[in-house]
Amino acid sequence: MSNSPAEGILRYHEETKHHPDRYARSLGYMDWDNQPNPFRVYEGAPTVNLPLLSQDPPGGHLALYEPGRPHAPLTLQSVAGFLELSMGLSAWKAVSGSRWPLRMNPSSGNLHPTETHLVLPRLQGCEAGVYHYAPLQHALERRAEVPGDLWRAAVAHLGCEGFLVGLTTIFWRESWKYGERAFRYCNHDVGHALAALRFSANLFGWRVTCLNGLSDEAVETVLGLRRTNTPSRDEEHPDLIGLVHAGSRDPTPQTLPGELVAAFDRIHFEGRPNALSREHVDWEIIGHAAGLSRKPATPAAPPRLERPEMIEDDVSTSSAASTIRRRRSATDFDRGRGIPRSHFLAMLDKTRPRDGAAPFDAGLEEAALHLLIFVHHVEGLPPGLYFFSRNDRDLPELRALSRAGFTWEPVQPGCPLFLLEPGNFRQTATMVSCHQDIAGSSAFSLGMLARFGETVRREPFRYRHLLWESGMIGQVLYLEAEAHGVRGTGIGCFFDDAVHELMGLSGDRYQSLYHFTVGHPLEDPRLTTLPPYSHLRGR
């Protein structure tokens, strides 16, 4: 690969594209004997068992997005609820004597490479410290005690009470199945997790503000990764740290001073990370991409967001929390059933970044992704190829770069949705998504196009952030689908360049990063659904 980090990342992206005659490299079979344990534990670390919610936070569907809700007091119970509705278990599935857990946050192949850590002040029931969240046991594992003067210095700098939440990634969990393309999928999952945290925080009247000025090295230091002896190839790689705080609109510093970060390097961390597999396959290209895309310290700057009026429509009267709990990935769709136009437009509208509205106010960057949509069965809209613009800046350029024959006909005033070409695109949607029928049998499916080459060349670590943004969009669509009585599924397997050719794009100015599909699910009658935490009864 190139000596330039940016060119190396661009090469990784190019080499891990799927093509109709050649897929990205993977093992080629399922090595079940070495399937990674989906649950990390820190053996020997003191454990704090968390209470489960006796009652979900109030609020209907729009409580996922609306700011200004009364904030819950910061207690161990409210932190536990925040984790339960974001990174906890949602159910168990069982069939023919086998069972497996599902989580609130989705993951490619249900493999869950994303781990969650917290830095908490002293609360009734737990000491101030750095903790790892163990979702299977719904418990906190204390990695380190945080001295009172260190926490007070953090609060004085940040200007508000709250706590820190960190995300890390274990690449082996997904490369075990997906091979070299897994680095992409792991970063999709970070985006899903960040959006899940942000939505859950909103239900407690809190915000999540990413400390986007921190370097990866600083994230490693604060979370104790630099002081942890992890089994080879089961390492946790740093992603981000966010401040969870009451829903104030006052500016929050989006970094930590160097002396405060250094203080975390002087405290004692405990707990031995469990080994996840007996044997591993070393996908060197993933480790190389991770190294090339490491984030340095950068100026902390919140993204500039507008606040367009939100499109509202009639949705289920169930609560926002129950929508989070019901989220599932569909495996098959009823191609004979469509969705109303009003539901379709409302779903797309929630993917628009808005100032002060979850999840895109978490403080990463300005929107860089747009949606190329295959409309199959939306009542009141002709089937065809559509485009949904998530920012005004890129639209003139995309129109100039795309196929000359597209109509770019606006669908509705005030909504940035355009009809490019009418027609039946079911077969095309299926083909570009690696011949997966779920992309063509749904009500609609889509690809997410990112402003790519320029972004990565300017700052190589933004490659990961673009993938995070795509995962955040996917999480919005998952919850919107559930709220509107249908179901969604993320699609990581697609023929990258076939999507670009369909749009008429060449070069790397824009690239497709993630696909998604929404429709009426066909349930598998063989599967049984079990409660998420029945195994903790009597704890």
Side-chain angles (χ1 to χ4, degrees):
M1 287 189 176
S2 166
N3 291 328
S4 159
E7 293 305 319
I9 284 294
L10 294 173
R11 179 67 62 82
Y12 166 81
H13 188 75
E14 191 66 29
E15 289 189 3
T16 58
K17 287 181 176 180
H18 287 321
H19 301 274
D21 60 343
R22 177 181 59 81
Y23 285 69
R25 292 182 306 151
S26 65
L27 197 58
Y29 63 94
M30 303 300 285
D31 181 11
W32 295 113
D33 289 341
N34 288 298
Q35 181 178 10
N37 187 333
F39 296 106
R40 156 111 324 147
V41 295
Y42 282 85
E43 298 164 351
T47 299
V48 178
N49 292 328
L50 296 175
L52 293 165
L53 285 166
S54 58
Q55 184 175 353
D56 281 339
H61 174 59
L62 291 182
L64 292 168
Y65 307 97
E66 293 174 336
R69 296 171 58 77
H71 66 268
L74 181 54
T75 65
L76 187 63
Q77 288 73 24
S78 57
V79 171
F82 162 72
L83 290 170
E84 182 182 345
L85 288 176
S86 56
M87 309 301 286
L89 304 188
S90 59
W92 289 80
K93 290 290 186 180
V95 64
S96 302
S98 298
R99 70 172 195 160
W100 58 95
L102 304 179
R103 305 196 200 183
M104 303 293 183
N105 59 309
S107 169
S108 301
N110 200 31
L111 297 171
H112 290 284
T114 310
E115 295 292 328
T116 309
H117 301 256
L118 293 92
V119 184
L120 293 173
R122 183 173 184 175
L123 303 171
Q124 184 174 359
C126 76
E127 298 297 322
V130 181
Y131 292 85
H132 170 255
Y133 177 55
L136 179 62
Q137 297 303 324
H138 193 49
L140 294 175
E141 299 169 326
R142 194 185 70 205
R143 304 281 337 280
E145 293 185 24
V146 173
D149 58 347
L150 175 53
W151 183 254
R152 286 189 293 272
V155 171
H157 169 75
L158 295 168
C160 62
E161 297 287 347
F163 60 95
L164 302 179
V165 61
L167 296 179
T168 64
T169 291
I170 303 172
F171 296 132
W172 167 239
R173 284 232 182 94
E174 292 204 352
S175 64
W176 166 79
K177 179 177 181 179
Y178 296 112
E180 64 185 12
R181 198 170 164 102
F183 184 70
R184 299 183 182 209
Y185 300 165
C186 287
N187 282 288
H188 290 159
D189 286 358
V190 174
H192 280 291
L194 176 57
L197 291 168
R198 180 64 190 93
F199 281 131
S200 180
N202 219 44
L203 300 188
F204 291 88
W206 301 338
R207 298 185 68 182
V208 177
T209 300
C210 291
L211 305 186
N212 66 11
L214 290 179
S215 66
D216 281 355
E217 183 178 0
V219 174
E220 289 174 321
T221 301
V222 172
L223 301 184
L225 303 185
R226 284 161 46 86
R227 309 286 299 280
T228 302
N229 185 17
T230 308
S232 177
R233 300 195 180 95
D234 287 341
E235 299 90 351
E236 295 180 42
H237 294 257
D239 292 314
L240 59 89
I241 289 177
L243 172 66
V244 184
H245 57 109
S248 169
R249 298 297 302 277
D250 295 332
T252 301
Q254 290 188 254
T255 190
L256 297 171
E259 61 271 18
L260 199 153
V261 171
F264 280 88
D265 217 15
R266 294 192 292 269
I267 60 179
H268 173 66
F269 282 84
E270 56 188 323
R272 299 179 305 277
N274 60 324
L276 304 180
S277 296
R278 188 182 67 237
E279 298 177 359
H280 300 73
V281 175
D282 184 11
W283 294 96
E284 294 181 6
I285 192 173
I286 291 179
H288 194 56
L292 293 172
S293 60
R294 276 182 69 86
K295 184 185 180 299
T298 55
R304 297 185 301 273
L305 300 178
E306 302 296 327
R307 190 159 177 80
E309 186 176 348
M310 189 175 288
I311 296 177
E312 300 182 20
D313 68 324
D314 295 328
V315 295
S316 168
T317 57
S318 61
S319 69
S322 66
T323 297
I324 291 174
R325 292 186 183 279
R326 291 197 313 268
R327 186 216 62 79
R328 304 285 188 271
S329 293
T331 58
D332 196 7
F333 291 109
D334 182 349
R335 67 172 53 226
R337 298 181 65 188
I339 61 174
R341 169 185 166 129
S342 61
H343 289 191
F344 174 66
L345 295 179
M347 290 183 206
L348 296 181
D349 178 68
K350 302 306 185 298
T351 71
R352 298 178 72 180
R354 287 178 167 86
D355 182 34
F360 300 106
D361 66 342
L364 285 176
E365 289 95 29
E366 297 176 37
L369 274 74
H370 308 275
L371 312 181
L372 180 65
I373 307 171
F374 306 93
V375 170
H376 305 315
H377 193 168
V378 174
E379 298 156 8
L381 275 183
L385 188 65
Y386 289 75
F387 187 85
F388 187 79
S389 173
R390 295 181 63 249
N391 71 50
D392 296 333
R393 174 196 54 214
D394 295 335
L395 190 56
E397 179 182 55
L398 278 160
R399 294 185 67 158
L401 293 175
S402 62
R403 289 189 185 278
F406 287 157
T407 65
W408 291 95
E409 178 185 335
V411 170
Q412 178 171 301
C415 178
L417 177 66
F418 303 89
L419 172 62
L420 302 182
E421 182 179 336
N424 185 339
F425 279 83
R426 288 188 187 271
Q427 185 174 352
T428 302
T430 299
M431 185 278 293
V432 299
S433 288
C434 297
H435 304 290
Q436 296 178 84
D437 189 59
I438 55 172
S441 61
S442 58
F444 70 94
S445 62
L446 57 85
M448 304 180 194
L449 291 171
R451 188 176 67 254
F452 187 75
E454 173 193 7
T455 304
V456 175
R457 289 187 177 91
R458 185 176 68 250
E459 293 175 306
F461 68 86
R462 299 283 188 205
Y463 179 62
R464 293 158 55 200
H465 291 196
L466 291 173
L467 293 165
W468 297 356
E469 184 182 343
S470 69
M472 294 178 78
I473 295 169
Q475 190 67 8
V476 172
L477 291 172
Y478 264 123
L479 297 186
E480 283 297 301
E482 294 292 340
H484 287 86
V486 288
R487 186 150 289 170
T489 297
I491 301 176
C493 185
F494 52 86
F495 300 135
D496 304 56
D497 289 340
V499 179
H500 309 146
E501 292 166 9
L502 180 65
M503 187 72 182
L505 302 172
S506 60
D508 65 10
R509 182 72 179 169
Y510 290 88
Q511 293 280 289
S512 182
L513 297 186
Y514 193 22
H515 283 205
F516 206 89
T517 185
V518 173
H520 288 272
L522 293 174
E523 305 290 354
D524 188 338
R526 298 171 300 171
L527 294 178
T528 300
T529 301
L530 305 171
Y533 285 108
S534 57
H535 60 288
L536 298 185
R537 287 175 184 160
R539 185 171 72 176

